[in-house]
Amino acid sequence: MAILTPTKDTGASTKTLPTVYAEPGQQVTDDQLRQTLPDIGMNTPFIADYLSAMLTHERCGRHLYRAVEGRTNNPTLREKYGSFGEQTERHVTVLEELIAGLGGNPDYVSPSARAVEAVGTKLVETTFMLDGSLDPMTAEMAMLDAVFLAESADHANWKILAELVDGMPEGATRDAFGRAVEEVEAQEDEHVGWASDMKLRMVKLQAASTTMAQAGAKVEEIVVRIKEWFRE
Amino acid sequence: MPFNPLDEQGIPVEDQLRNWSELNVEPYDKREVHPYTRTRVILMNGIEVESVMFSHQFARHTDNLEIKQKLALNRRIDQQQQKAVNGLNPGDQTPLETTIGYEQVAVDLTSWLARHEPDPMLKQALDFALLEDFDHLYRYANLYDLIDGGDAATLTGDLTEITPGRPTIVEHRHPYDDVRGHFETHTVDPLSRMHVMTIIAGEQQTMNFYMNHGSDWVEPVARGLYAEIAMIEEQHVTHYESLLDPLDSWLKSLVFHEYNEVYLYWSMLQNEQDRRIAQIWELHCNMEIGQLQVACDLLRRYEGVEPAEILPPALPDTPVTFEPNKQYVRDVLASQYHLRTDGIQYVALDQLPGDHRYFKVQETVNAGGTPSEMVIDEERRERSVDYRDETDGANPIPELQQLKAS
């Protein structure tokens, strides 16, 4: 089962910095990363940090999908958020297995992973922290925008990983990376493509609608209209 | 049997509102109360104040109506809890007597947390400030004797020694040197997180109390001492709050607050001998479980995070306990008396370069006399010797040992 939030109980580790403490048992150094992971002719600690950041992005993505699936008023969006969320959880597992298979700790939280989580936290907050100043349609757009932004970064991550694989020497490590990319990349194409298309459709739909002009429209009425979106 | 608050029903928040007579509790008798009952009351008042102020800050950073309303409801209950807890302090307990209780909290809470802290860096942060609060107890005890003719040991029950620590006069640092590094939220032990949250709340309440009670006296030495020590409490809040990982979201922080409150009320209940007050701890523990559920629901709904992902499977087995820590404090004093800070590092005084900003601050704030020294000088003039309660022997630092009466 995928770990969505690494903790001390799950075996989380991190690099200590002058301003970041961890107990000795939770600390990881670049030397340890270099010794643990196989030599692929690259900057191994950087690759470990990058994989940790990618994994963190997937974990944040899973949380985001759970959050918006539960809060969207549109059945079509809900269904996609649900299915993409499950696929994203599978991507978490794929990366966890890749890292563990290389001898690493999937619950290692690199400094770059912390930066990614900071973005992920704020991204999910954009879907609810300002709800009071958003009408229901704008709130739907905010949720979709968060998904679009998350998927854009996710898509870029996997594309970058695929290019890194191309530069790796033949062997088991390259094969392991390759299998992960092969399983996930097509789904990432689908996710970002869907989010982009859906954003276009929502913008066009609202641009052609008179609802926004009806300042006095009741929230319940707007929600009913949102539910009707994308009905074929 | 492990106690997992997430598995408990608690009291639904909607059922927690109390009437005025329930809040206007009968105070304890200051002559009869166990010193550690007083410290428990002081600590839990500080915990509720922190909860309320955190909730207000959170509310100012969102316009999500549901979140604001749920924060408002939880906060109203927290405010009622604060009234019920703080109301246990009797009206005939003077602010200075309460102050001595605050410093006993600081000494014995900090010591206990340090003794049980798994992270050596966090333990160091606790040990460092411990010696300063230990000294505050000594200064206030002398003020109590000087202006009220009071014997502070009757308040502390001889459970906490009263003798100089790292002298208050040397505690005044440059603000940059109060900022520490922080734990990492994923790797941190759940106990460490709660230790840090608890000590922040305790120190913050001490800061608040001195900020508001410094003007209660007519005696200049008392007013000066409160002003001086209030500034150290500002330093301590800066010191401790910087230990928290700022990566946690508002909602996660809310969950952590509520969880810690459950842990602390449960802890207070385990040690409380006063049955009437124990009932308050038990009631509030059940109320906090209900408030925790609200926070967990918000986290689940808005961030898609299952609370069990970020919380431990059960509360720690060991309750936070007020108990004597005399030998521990002596050991820390003996080994860390000369410690200062330089940026985020702890260094020995003799390692600070002569032009360090520490000395500039010292020179500036101590120009024209220092109240924490004046109170001792006046006490010695009045009583020949300064007030101490050294139950286990002389101060371990020779230069801090009592001067013979002349």
Side-chain angles (χ1 to χ4, degrees), chain B residues 325-396:
Chain B
N325 296 279
K326 295 176 182 177
Q327 191 56 47
Y328 182 80
V329 177
R330 283 174 170 270
D331 291 345
V332 176
L333 182 59
S335 60
Q336 301 192 25
Y337 166 62
H338 289 101
L339 223 50
R340 301 290 186 274
T341 55
D342 181 11
I344 59 172
Q345 306 298 330
Y346 301 94
V347 297
L349 175 61
D350 60 12
Q351 289 180 341
L352 285 179
D355 61 351
H356 193 274
R357 58 197 172 204
Y358 169 76
F359 298 109
K360 177 69 179 162
V361 169
Q362 281 282 299
E363 191 183 334
T364 303
V365 301
N366 291 322
T370 306
S372 59
E373 293 296 313
M374 292 174 183
V375 70
I376 303 302
D377 292 343
E378 283 196 36
E379 172 76 351
R380 285 177 179 151
R381 270 197 298 275
E382 292 281 329
R383 317 262 193 246
S384 300
V385 291
D386 53 336
Y387 177 90
R388 298 182 181 218
D389 185 25
E390 295 173 332
T391 61
D392 288 18
N395 192 298

Side-chain angles (χ1 to χ4, degrees), chain A residues 71-176:
Chain A
R71 285 187 281 120
T72 180
N73 285 301
N74 182 267
T76 302
L77 294 171
R78 186 178 305 117
E79 190 275 329
K80 276 296 181 194
Y81 292 154
S83 63
F84 285 179
E86 285 172 15
Q87 288 176 352
T88 300
E89 187 160 328
R90 172 62 195 158
H91 301 172
V92 171
T93 303
V94 167
L95 282 168
E96 286 177 339
E97 289 174 352
L98 173 65
I99 294 166
L102 297 172
N105 174 12
D107 288 343
Y108 162 57
V109 181
S110 68
S112 49
R114 285 176 52 80
V116 164
E117 185 171 331
V119 173
T121 298
K122 290 300 166 193
L123 202 54
V124 75
E125 285 186 350
T126 64
T127 70
F128 65 88
M129 286 291 266
L130 293 174
D131 267 5
S133 48
L134 307 183
D135 62 78
M137 287 186 180
T138 309
E140 289 289 345
M141 280 297 287
M143 287 190 273
L144 183 65
D145 268 337
V147 168
F148 173 65
L149 290 168
E151 288 296 359
S152 298
D154 207 14
H155 185 259
N157 281 342
W158 284 95
K159 196 173 169 202
I160 289 165
L161 194 65
E163 294 210 10
L164 289 175
V165 173
D166 289 344
M168 289 179 189
E170 298 287 339
T173 302
R174 178 186 166 127
D175 292 347

Side-chain angles (χ1 to χ4, degrees), chain B residues 37-139:
Chain B
T37 292
R38 184 191 289 110
T39 58
R40 282 187 280 272
V41 168
I42 289 169
L43 172 62
M44 295 317 295
N45 177 54
I47 293 295
E48 291 297 351
V49 170
E50 159 61 20
S51 184
V52 166
M53 299 318 294
F54 168 79
S55 173
H56 274 303
Q57 288 298 328
F58 186 174
R60 292 169 201 177
H61 286 79
T62 181
D63 69 357
N64 180 305
L65 189 61
E66 184 194 10
I67 292 176
K68 283 171 93 86
Q69 287 177 335
K70 294 208 164 146
L71 286 172
L73 177 56
N74 270 15
R75 194 166 61 241
R76 182 74 68 85
I77 302 303
D78 280 336
Q79 284 278 15
Q80 288 205 330
Q81 290 175 309
Q82 187 269 335
K83 305 298 174 289
V85 172
N86 202 39
L88 291 167
N89 287 300
D92 63 354
Q93 180 175 280
T94 69
L96 185 48
E97 289 168 338
T98 305
T99 295
I100 287 166
Y102 269 70
E103 295 299 347
Q104 188 172 26
V105 170
V107 173
D108 283 326
L109 175 67
T110 311
S111 298
W112 191 92
L113 296 176
R115 283 170 45 215
H116 294 81
E117 174 51 53
D119 185 324
M121 292 303 288
L122 299 177
K123 180 178 184 303
Q124 176 62 81
L126 291 160
D127 285 342
F128 182 81
L130 164 65
L131 296 188
E132 303 189 337
D133 285 320
F134 187 55
D135 192 75
H136 301 168
L137 176 60
Y138 162 71
R139 309 284 157 178

Side-chain angles (χ1 to χ4, degrees), chain A residues 7-16 21-29 32 105 107-109, chain B residues 184 186-189:
Chain A
T7 63
K8 187 180 179 187
D9 282 345
T10 69
S13 59
T14 195
K15 277 183 198 165
T16 57
Y21 304 149
E23 287 181 61
Q26 264 65 51
Q27 295 177 10
V28 174
T29 64
Q32 286 170 323
N105 174 12
D107 288 343
Y108 162 57
V109 181
Chain B
E184 203 287 323
H186 298 284
T187 58
V188 70
D189 193 293

